Amino acid sequence: MDCENGMDVVEFVLLGFSSQPEEQPLFFASFLLMYGAGLLGNIMMVILITVDARLQTPMYFLLRSLSVVDVGFLTVTVPQMLVHLMSSSKTIPFFSCMAQFFFFYVFGVTDILMVSVMALDRYVAICNPLHYATVMSQKVCGRLVAGCWIVSTLHSMLHAGLLLRLSYHGDNHLSHFFCDHDPLLQLSCSDTSINEAAIFFEGGLIILGPFFFIILTYARIVVTVMKFSSGRRKAFSTCGSHLTMVVLLYGAIIGVYFQPASTYSAQRGAVFALMYTVITPMSNPYIYSLRNKDVKRALRHLLRKKIFSQ
């Protein structure tokens, strides 16, 4: 990239998925539908768990916290993407881009950490049920959730600070639909070795640490359940929704951040990014509600209450 004669970048152009005008309305309608479905599902999950006394358990406390995170995760990228799809201007001011980057990673990393905390919840419930109420008390769950937010905020402050030290001149076109790490580093005119080292060591620990923790947790769960003389299917069924969430989330993350540099494709990276920024947070409440009798019963109870109160 030629950075010698370019002016300082004051805004970026987000190229998004397609430059063909005839395709924009289809993308807009699809993403608007997914955004609406994601907000509806997650907000409904928060309401159900808050108002239904039968859902006041550690697992649902964590699920409600995840739904709050997913609302933020969806909102930090999708509304701007919708505006750009229906507008001739695809620009975002420099500091707005940095703010989007910061909050995207706050919500994204919190999401990853919350999924690992939910794996811990399943482990204690199955492998140590007699002490479940003590180990996963509301106070403990609250501290775990607060810890997720603190770690994600510190992580995002580190990487946002490292990005702010970089200089951008000349070309301001980002091959993405939001301000993400790889496109911003590729566009920079500065030495990005410190950023790349931080991504490899600290970022790798934040992403892969919870992943390996989840694998070890489920390995212990499998070993424990196989010792049961009965009830194996019921024990495994309580983990099905969580495992589906893990596969969706980490499958997309691996597709984005663990591609070999020689085969990296901005378009393919954007598609995988869409998976974990939109589809996964949109799907989480439906994955849990469709497979969960307690949630479906709470929803029927709430709807019946509303109907008869009118």
Side-chain angles (χ1 to χ4, degrees):
M1 182 185 300
D2 183 14
C3 296
E4 295 297 326
N5 301 316
M7 297 179 62
D8 289 348
V9 169
V10 296
E11 64 181 15
F12 294 104
V13 178
L14 298 172
L15 299 180
F17 289 99
S18 174
S19 59
Q20 302 300 319
E22 62 274 12
E23 296 178 353
Q24 305 295 320
L26 177 61
F27 279 113
F28 177 85
S30 300
F31 294 139
L32 180 62
L33 180 63
M34 288 188 283
Y35 182 56
L39 286 184
L40 176 64
N42 282 293
I43 292 173
M44 182 59 68
M45 191 67 73
V46 171
I47 293 172
L48 286 176
I49 295 172
T50 301
V51 303
D52 196 297
R54 289 166 295 188
L55 299 182
Q56 303 302 312
T57 65
M59 182 180 79
Y60 293 111
F61 176 85
L62 296 174
L63 182 57
R64 180 177 60 186
S65 300
L66 180 68
S67 291
V68 172
V69 174
D70 283 341
V71 169
F73 204 15
L74 283 164
T75 303
V76 79
T77 57
V78 180
Q80 175 152 323
M81 179 170 58
L82 293 173
V83 171
H84 283 177
L85 284 170
M86 298 305 292
S87 171
S88 58
S89 174
K90 316 292 183 184
T91 60
I92 178 172
F94 178 87
F95 286 106
S96 295
C97 183
M98 294 297 121
Q100 184 186 56
F101 171 88
F102 173 77
F103 286 108
F104 171 79
Y105 278 94
V106 167
F107 290 117
V109 172
T110 304
D111 203 77
I112 291 171
L113 297 175
M114 282 295 305
V115 169
S116 66
V117 171
M118 294 172 77
L120 174 65
D121 172 78
R122 291 299 82 208
Y123 167 77
V124 177
I126 294 173
C127 300
N128 198 5
L130 296 178
H131 297 91
Y132 179 65
T134 303
V135 175
M136 298 301 294
S137 66
Q138 187 167 0
K139 181 181 290 187
V140 171
C141 289
R143 288 173 177 173
L144 288 171
V145 171
C148 292
W149 282 104
I150 292 170
V151 170
S152 66
T153 301
L154 293 175
H155 166 86
S156 303
M157 289 174 64
L158 168 66
H159 289 278
L162 289 174
L163 275 181
L164 286 170
R165 56 178 282 276
L166 303 180
S167 59
Y168 295 89
H169 308 292
D171 187 14
N172 66 340
H173 291 75
L174 292 176
S175 300
H176 218 315
F177 61 91
F178 70 97
C179 297
D180 200 6
H181 239 144
D182 283 339
L184 286 167
L185 292 181
Q186 290 176 12
L187 208 59
S188 173
C189 297
S190 305
D191 178 15
T192 61
S193 58
I194 296 177
N195 301 70
E196 291 166 1
I199 292 170
F200 183 79
F201 291 106
E202 190 271 346
L205 178 64
I206 291 292
I207 293 175
L208 294 180
F211 180 64
F212 289 124
F213 175 78
I214 292 169
I215 291 176
L216 291 173
T217 298
Y218 273 101
R220 290 293 302 274
I221 289 174
V222 170
V223 170
T224 300
V225 171
M226 294 308 294
K227 295 178 181 178
F228 292 177
S229 57
S230 63
R232 292 179 182 177
R233 184 171 183 176
K234 182 179 179 180
F236 282 130
S237 68
T238 63
C239 302
S241 299
H242 181 258
L243 277 174
T244 303
M245 183 194 309
V246 170
V247 170
L248 283 174
L249 178 64
Y250 273 98
I253 288 174
I254 290 170
V256 174
Y257 297 109
F258 294 90
Q259 294 184 58
S262 58
T263 62
Y264 177 79
S265 165
Q267 195 70 20
R268 185 171 61 181
V271 171
F272 276 112
L274 179 68
M275 282 288 295
Y276 75 86
T277 58
V278 181
I279 295 175
T280 299
M282 176 201 72
S283 303
N284 285 342
Y286 300 102
I287 291 171
Y288 266 90
S289 62
L290 292 175
R291 298 174 60 94
N292 192 297
K293 293 180 181 179
D294 292 333
V295 173
K296 288 189 283 189
R297 183 170 57 243
L299 179 59
R300 286 195 299 268
H301 177 74
L302 180 63
L303 292 175
R304 197 180 303 119
K305 186 177 179 181
K306 289 294 182 183
I307 291 172
F308 287 121
S309 64
Q310 291 179 354

